Amino acid sequence: DAKTTQPPSMDCAEGRAANLPCNHSTISGNEYVYWYRQIHSQGPQYIIHGLKNNETNEMASLIITEDRKSSTLILPHATLRDTAVYYCIVRAIGYNFNKFYFGSGTKLNVKP
Amino acid sequence: DSGVTQTPKHLITATGQRVTLRCSPRSGDLSVYWYQQSLDQGLQFLIQYYNGEERAKGNILERFSAQQFPDLHSELNLSSLELGDSALYFCASSAPGTPFGADTQYFGPGTRLTVL
């Protein structure tokens, strides 16, 4: 079962790009990488997900290494409202087989 | 607002008691997931239902049970409550994706349970 490893905290200056790494060295071929964030004790918010290719949406970009053993979430222009705990999740997909592995999360502190 | 609703927002009860947490998924979503978040454990997946049937099980205790009703709302029942059950309980819902399971989960605001 694939697990994830994330740094416990990171700082980022407002307006700069925030690059959040995640290690998932035991990921297998049918497992997706998802990123969520949680602000205070609110419900986690979906950010982005991917399988092999890099992905981009209006919130962020996801860069997955060719061997899929690690990924990086990029917030291109961090704002104070991006201060949150960011979770990297590896998710096995399949009928009747939907396991979830949450990392410990990275507390991103965006500073003015 | 994710479109997922949870009630109640807060719940305070005593050890040994039983409580029911309720979740209404987003309109059209068939899957409901339950999670527990305590201070020392982080977010833990408990159980998933899809269109009324149990689909996946995580670290759910035997004292806990859940079900999804024909109108797709779900309830999480927690019994013989212990102090350690104090936590935030989140519900999430998702629509079927392609391939199966590659679906985005939308989380509700959570229910904060305090067991005294």
Side-chain angles (χ1 to χ4, degrees):
Chain A
D1 295 339
K3 299 286 192 289
T4 63
T5 304
Q6 298 176 256
S9 65
M10 293 182 64
D11 291 337
C12 178
E14 189 177 20
R16 303 297 294 269
N19 297 282
L20 292 92
C22 180
N23 181 287
H24 31 80
S25 58
T26 59
I27 195 169
S28 58
N30 70 337
E31 290 180 318
Y32 282 73
V33 179
Y34 277 74
W35 283 83
Y36 279 76
R37 72 180 181 184
Q38 189 175 25
I39 298 172
H40 298 300
S41 297
Q42 297 176 21
Q45 178 189 22
Y46 167 78
I47 301 173
I48 200 167
H49 74 280
L51 183 63
K52 293 180 185 176
N53 300 321
N54 298 337
E55 303 288 345
T56 296
N57 63 20
E58 64 279 2
M59 285 183 71
S61 295
L62 173 61
I63 308 297
I64 302 175
T65 57
E66 194 167 339
D67 62 7
R68 301 187 69 237
K69 294 186 177 190
S70 64
S71 61
T72 300
L73 177 73
I74 301 173
L75 306 179
H77 306 287
T79 71
L80 298 177
R81 286 180 292 184
D82 292 322
T83 293
V85 177
Y86 287 76
Y87 292 98
C88 171
I89 302 161
V90 171
R91 197 162 166 221
I93 303 300
Y95 189 82
N96 284 341
F97 185 68
N98 232 347
K99 292 189 179 179
F100 304 86
Y101 306 97
F102 280 86
S104 53
T106 295
K107 176 73 195 306
L108 177 67
N109 299 300
V110 181
K111 301 188 174 182
Chain B
D1 183 1
S2 66
V4 177
T5 60
Q6 290 186 248
T7 56
K9 195 167 183 144
H10 300 279
L11 198 48
I12 301 174
T13 188
T15 55
Q17 295 297 305
R18 172 191 167 96
V19 297
T20 297
L21 312 184
R22 183 188 169 104
C23 169
S24 293
R26 297 184 319 154
S27 177
D29 285 359
L30 301 181
S31 277
V32 169
Y33 306 79
W34 286 97
Y35 293 83
Q36 179 192 56
Q37 186 174 34
S38 53
L39 279 173
D40 57 348
Q41 293 283 331
L43 263 166
Q44 300 243 9
F45 167 67
L46 294 178
I47 197 164
Q48 178 205 359
Y49 278 81
Y50 178 82
N51 204 20
E53 292 186 5
E54 182 184 304
R55 181 55 55 85
K57 236 175 183 176
N59 301 320
I60 188 165
L61 300 173
E62 286 190 11
R63 299 184 286 110
F64 297 180
S65 65
Q67 58 185 129
Q68 186 179 26
F69 295 86
D71 67 353
L72 300 176
H73 91 270
S74 178
E75 293 181 356
L76 180 67
N77 301 297
L78 315 176
S79 61
S80 304
L81 285 168
E82 301 174 359
L83 296 177
D85 297 327
S86 295
L88 272 167
Y89 290 85
F90 290 105
C91 158
S93 75
S94 67
T98 304
F100 182 85
D103 48 353
T104 298
Q105 294 179 36
Y106 296 90
F107 282 76
T111 293
R112 183 177 291 279
L113 173 67
T114 302
V115 182
L116 301 175

